[in-house]
Amino acid sequence: MLSVLAALSLAAEAQVMTHRLVVPDIEGYLTLKGDMHTHTVFSDGNVWPTTRVDEAILDGLDFFVITDHLDGRHQKLANKGLFNCDRDESYRLAAAYAKSRNMIVIHGGEITRGMPPGHFNVSFVESDTRIGEEEDKYEDHFQGMVAGLKEARNQGAFTVWNHPHWSRQAPNGPVWYDEHTKILDMGLMDGLEIFNQFDGFSKEVFHWAMEKNLTIVSGTDAHKLMELWIDYGNGELRPCTLVFAKEKSEAGIREALDNHRTAVLAQHNVYGREEFLKPLLDAILQVKSVKNTDKKLTMVLHNCSCVPVILHKAEGFEDLGYTRDIVIGADSDYTIDVTNAEYGTKFTRKSITFGYEVRNFFTDADVNLKYTFTAALK
C-alpha cells in the first residue's frame, strides 16, 4: 500500500511540475512571473487568500496581486455576519502566510464600475478601505472611478484598466471612450490588461498599449480554484505577466512596471515590446552545438522554457535552404540543417545568418517578432 501511495504522490507531483511556469532570466534582469488579477472570498471569489498563495507556488509564480472588489460587496458580506473585518483583510491573510514561503503578495484592489469607464485594478496600495470609501461617495460611474483612482494614486498605486474587451461590458469589441482619454490625461492610467481568462487576448487592447506607451499586464481574474480555472490536464499554462526586474522584491516589480519592462505569457503566446522579447528569446533558445561541412551547417537548439517556440522562415533568406516551419517544444531540442538553396553546392562565405518569424511572439497586434541565427563556418 505504501508503494502505491508513493507512486500516486510522485505522479501528482509530476503533473504539477509539467505545467509549472519556467521562463529564464534575460540579460541584465530577472524574469519574474506574476498574476496581476485575483479574487478571494472577501469579495466574489470562492477561495481563501492563503489558497491563492499555495496555487501561486505550485504554478511557479514569483508574485501575485490580491485584487478583491472595492465596491459594496464586502460590506454586504459583513452585514450578513460572514466577516468582521475591513476590505484589507484578504491581503493581510495572504501576505502573512506568504512571508515564509518566498512568495511576494502585493496589496491591491479592483474598482468596479459600469462602462464607461469599467473596471480598474490598483496595486501597491496602503488601504483598500479608504479607496472604497472614496469611490462609494458617487453613483456616477466616471466620478466614482476618478475618486477611487485619485485616492489610490495618493497612496502610490499602479493603475490598470482591466479587460477592456470583456464581453459583458464590450459585447461588440473593446471601445476607447472619452472617459478613458480623460483618465489617461489626468495621469491615472498606467497599464492595460491585454489578457484575461474570461475573454482571452485582445489584439486591439495590445495595440492601444503600444500606441499610448502603457504597460501591458495579464491576469487570471480567478474567482474559482485555479485548478478549475486553468485546464492543466490539457496542457494549458497559467497566464502570467513577465516582469523584467532588477531585483526580486516588491520595489523591483514596481520599478519594472513603471518602466514598461513587461511581457504577457498566455495560451502559449508571448506579447511584448521587441526590446524585451528579443533578449527573452535569446535566453529561451540555447545553442547546444554548431557543426558544419563545406556544404551543410547543423545547429542544435534547446528550448529551456515552458513555452513552445513556433518558427516560420522569414523573407530575405531565399539563397539558403532550411526547414520553413518548425516547433521547438518546451524543454526540447531541435536540429536545424542549413544548406545553400542550390542543394549540394559548397559554401563560399565565412558565416551564415538565417532568419525566422516567431509565430507565437508578438510585438504588436498581428506583428510577429523577427529573429535571426548567426554561425561562423569552420
Side-chain angles (χ1 to χ4, degrees), residues 116-301:
H119 298 189
F120 275 66
N121 272 349
V122 292
S123 306
F124 306 92
V125 301
E126 298 171 355
S127 170
D128 284 336
T129 300
R130 296 204 307 270
I131 298 167
E133 288 173 349
E134 286 300 312
E135 179 218 345
D136 288 345
K137 292 177 181 179
Y138 301 89
E139 290 188 12
D140 179 80
H141 293 313
F142 177 70
Q143 290 180 325
M145 178 61 71
V146 170
L149 290 176
K150 284 185 175 179
E151 172 57 32
R153 183 68 91 207
N154 288 339
Q155 298 179 25
F158 183 85
T159 64
V160 173
W161 178 14
N162 294 342
H163 46 65
H165 56 300
W166 182 32
S167 55
R168 190 178 298 178
Q169 291 191 330
N172 299 309
V175 178
W176 184 281
Y177 291 91
D178 290 341
E179 286 82 352
H180 298 113
T181 297
K182 292 175 183 177
I183 289 172
L184 181 63
D185 290 344
M186 284 188 279
L188 297 176
M189 187 191 303
D190 299 318
L192 292 173
E193 185 182 70
I194 69 169
F195 182 93
N196 179 285
Q197 194 69 11
F198 278 106
D199 280 273
F201 168 71
S202 170
K203 65 180 182 181
E204 295 91 348
V205 179
F206 182 32
H207 180 67
W208 289 347
M210 297 299 99
E211 182 182 54
K212 301 175 190 300
N213 199 30
L214 294 167
T215 300
I216 60 169
V217 304
S218 167
T220 56
D221 198 358
H223 288 65
K224 299 181 288 187
L225 278 169
M226 204 62 65
E227 194 169 358
L228 300 175
W229 206 241
I230 309 298
D231 193 0
Y232 296 110
N234 283 320
E236 186 177 359
L237 296 173
R238 177 173 178 166
C240 70
T241 304
L242 302 178
V243 173
F244 306 112
K246 295 178 181 178
E247 62 180 33
K248 186 179 178 180
S249 67
E250 189 168 325
I253 295 165
R254 177 58 189 272
E255 188 273 337
L257 289 168
D258 285 339
N259 289 284
H260 316 304
R261 293 201 307 274
T262 65
V264 164
L265 166 59
Q267 297 176 330
H268 300 291
N269 295 319
V270 183
Y271 308 91
R273 292 170 169 81
E274 183 176 358
E275 63 185 296
F276 304 120
L277 292 200
K278 173 65 166 57
L280 179 61
L281 198 55
D282 286 342
I284 287 174
L285 291 182
Q286 300 177 346
V287 179
K288 290 185 69 174
S289 67
V290 179
K291 299 178 181 178
N292 74 275
T293 65
D294 60 353
K295 299 178 182 178
K296 182 172 71 173
L297 171 77
T298 300
M299 180 179 289
V300 180
L301 300 171

Side-chain angles (χ1 to χ4, degrees), residues 67-81:
T67 54
D68 279 322
H69 296 278
L70 302 184
D71 55 18
R73 278 172 248 212
H74 181 274
Q75 191 56 49
K76 289 178 182 178
L77 295 170
N79 292 341
K80 290 180 180 179

Side-chain angles (χ1 to χ4, degrees), residues 50 53 89-101 103 105:
T50 55
V53 177
E89 185 65 12
S90 58
Y91 164 73
R92 286 194 288 263
L93 288 167
Y97 183 71
K99 194 171 183 180
S100 62
R101 290 169 171 80
M103 177 59 57
V105 180

